[in-house]
Amino acid sequence: MNRILITPSIFGKDDSSPLNLLQNAGYEAIINPYGRKLTEAEALDLVSEVKPVGIIAGVEPITARVLQQAKGLKAISRCGVGLDNVDLNAAGSLGIAVTNTPDAPIEAVAELTIGLIFNLLRKISFLDRELRKGNWIKETGSLVRGKKVGIIGLGRIGKRVAEMLLALGAKVAGTDIQPDYEWLQKNQVPLASLEELLKQSEILCLHVSYAVSNEHLIGRKELETMPKGAYLINTSRGEVIDPDALYFMLTNGHLAGAALDVFEQEPYTGPLTKLDNVILTPHIGSYAKETRLEMETQAVKNLLSALNTHADTEPEKPSPIT
């Protein structure tokens, strides 16, 4: 039986129907045995052992080395949006199809972003911790209404976050390398340069994919440009923020707080865990039951479609000479 390697550790846990789709199509599913994000070495070992014809991928590094080791691999279906963890050039040269599920996580990531903003502005997590310590203290927070919010990356998720914030009465501006001018005009969202956006944003939300060109896009210089007392939220990729610069700007009082769902190194155990003005979540942007089921189902359908297409286009083997 052809095997499918499934690397997202919670795949099928809430609803087994995506796994049933694979089984009904005649495939055996092999699920990540580590229960966490794979390292490159672990991915190498697994593809060598499993010899999959397809991979349903999470955010682990699927490098050229992994792809070259995966003999017989025909397709990769990313359960999520970003493809920065997959070496697309290597996949293309090896004839391996790569797909993703760009629409499924939109609502879940957008809602988490809004929830983090509320949490920061009203100091919910901080006050919860203090009350549990026996400290009945009250801190005055702020409203979202009227706040100047900057969004870096106005793709599917960034646009949905903007729409939610506009409905809450925030003043939203954004920047994007490929602006959707029709959407901007319809929603009356002004486009700004990165520098201008940083200068005016009381709240800054990051919704960008990772590339080498935007590693540490937000460093000390950029954070110093933001207004004193501003907040930063990142639910995109950990690599786009310099964590040392962020720590410095949070401890010296320039930034009032930050909320991070993504990190350069995951699981994260760094110094930001010691700060009371930081909210940290373990990369749960898409972890809503409805979203996970939609993503997993679409990922399976994408994979089966890619495998069927590969089978249809594969050249016939010559008949044996008799």
Side-chain angles (χ1 to χ4, degrees):
M1 182 181 285
N2 286 329
R3 290 178 166 183
I4 304 298
L5 176 61
I6 299 177
T7 62
S9 58
I10 67 164
F11 194 96
K13 283 191 176 180
D14 290 323
D15 191 316
S16 62
S17 55
L19 293 172
N20 294 337
L21 284 174
L22 283 174
Q23 185 176 2
N24 293 339
Y27 293 95
E28 178 185 3
I30 308 297
I31 296 178
N32 173 359
Y34 296 95
R36 55 165 171 75
K37 175 183 173 180
L38 299 174
T39 65
E40 183 188 21
E42 289 164 346
L44 280 165
D45 289 342
L46 276 174
V47 297
S48 299
E49 179 183 347
V50 175
K51 296 179 175 58
V53 294
I55 295 175
I56 293 179
V59 294
E60 65 288 333
I62 302 180
T63 61
R65 291 178 64 211
V66 172
L67 294 171
Q68 289 160 1
Q69 187 67 30
K71 309 298 183 184
L73 181 65
K74 298 178 176 64
I76 297 167
S77 179
R78 169 81 169 87
C79 189
V81 181
L83 291 170
D84 46 273
N85 60 309
V86 181
D87 190 322
L88 297 176
N89 290 330
S93 67
L94 293 167
I96 299 169
V98 181
T99 65
N100 65 345
T101 59
D103 295 320
I106 294 173
E107 205 70 14
V109 178
E111 285 192 8
L112 176 64
T113 303
I114 299 299
L116 292 171
I117 292 173
F118 278 130
N119 196 332
L120 282 172
L121 292 183
R122 298 302 298 272
K123 306 179 183 180
I124 297 169
S125 291
F126 169 73
L127 293 171
D128 172 76
R129 288 193 298 268
E130 288 301 308
L131 190 148
R132 291 170 189 271
K133 295 174 187 175
N135 300 323
W136 186 265
I137 61 173
K138 298 185 181 184
E139 294 256 355
T140 303
S142 299
L143 298 177
V144 173
R145 189 182 69 229
K147 288 289 183 297
K148 296 177 181 178
V149 183
I151 298 179
I152 300 178
L154 288 168
R156 293 175 176 87
I157 294 171
K159 286 192 280 193
R160 184 62 183 132
V161 170
E163 290 165 0
M164 290 179 173
L165 287 166
L166 289 167
L168 292 167
K171 301 173 182 177
V172 180
T175 187
D176 194 271
I177 57 173
Q178 294 181 315
D180 182 344
Y181 291 106
E182 182 179 349
W183 180 90
L184 290 166
Q185 183 175 9
K186 176 184 176 183
N187 291 277
Q188 297 185 327
V189 173
L191 198 64
S193 67
L194 177 59
E195 185 178 3
E196 286 301 318
L197 195 70
L198 291 168
K199 285 180 180 178
Q200 67 189 34
S201 296
E202 297 169 281
I203 301 170
L204 185 69
C205 299
L206 276 66
H207 298 288
V208 295
S209 58
Y210 170 69
V212 174
S213 59
N214 67 10
E215 184 169 348
H216 291 183
L217 173 70
I218 304 300
R220 182 166 171 175
K221 175 185 174 184
E222 288 74 26
L223 294 173
E224 287 175 339
T225 304
M226 295 178 67
K228 183 175 174 59
Y231 297 89
L232 182 145
I233 295 92
N234 186 15
T235 56
S236 59
R237 284 291 183 264
E239 294 88 347
V240 299
I241 294 178
D242 180 343
D244 295 332
L246 178 60
Y247 180 86
F248 177 78
M249 299 304 288
L250 286 163
T251 53
N252 75 0
H254 186 77
L255 292 183
L260 309 175
D261 184 50
V262 289
F263 309 88
E264 277 192 303
Q265 298 296 325
E266 297 181 1
Y268 179 76
T269 58
L272 291 169
T273 59
K274 310 299 182 185
L275 302 183
D276 283 334
N277 57 345
V278 179
I279 301 166
L280 307 173
T281 51
H283 206 148
I284 58 164
S286 66
Y287 280 47
K289 289 181 180 179
E290 302 87 346
T291 294
R292 292 305 304 181
L293 178 58
E294 183 181 351
M295 285 173 61
E296 292 173 5
T297 302
Q298 190 58 57
V300 169
K301 290 180 177 179
N302 287 347
L303 184 65
L304 294 176
S305 177
L307 290 172
N308 288 337
T309 300
H310 191 283
D312 291 341
T313 58
E314 197 169 28
E316 294 184 7
K317 294 180 181 178
S319 301
I321 298 174
T322 58

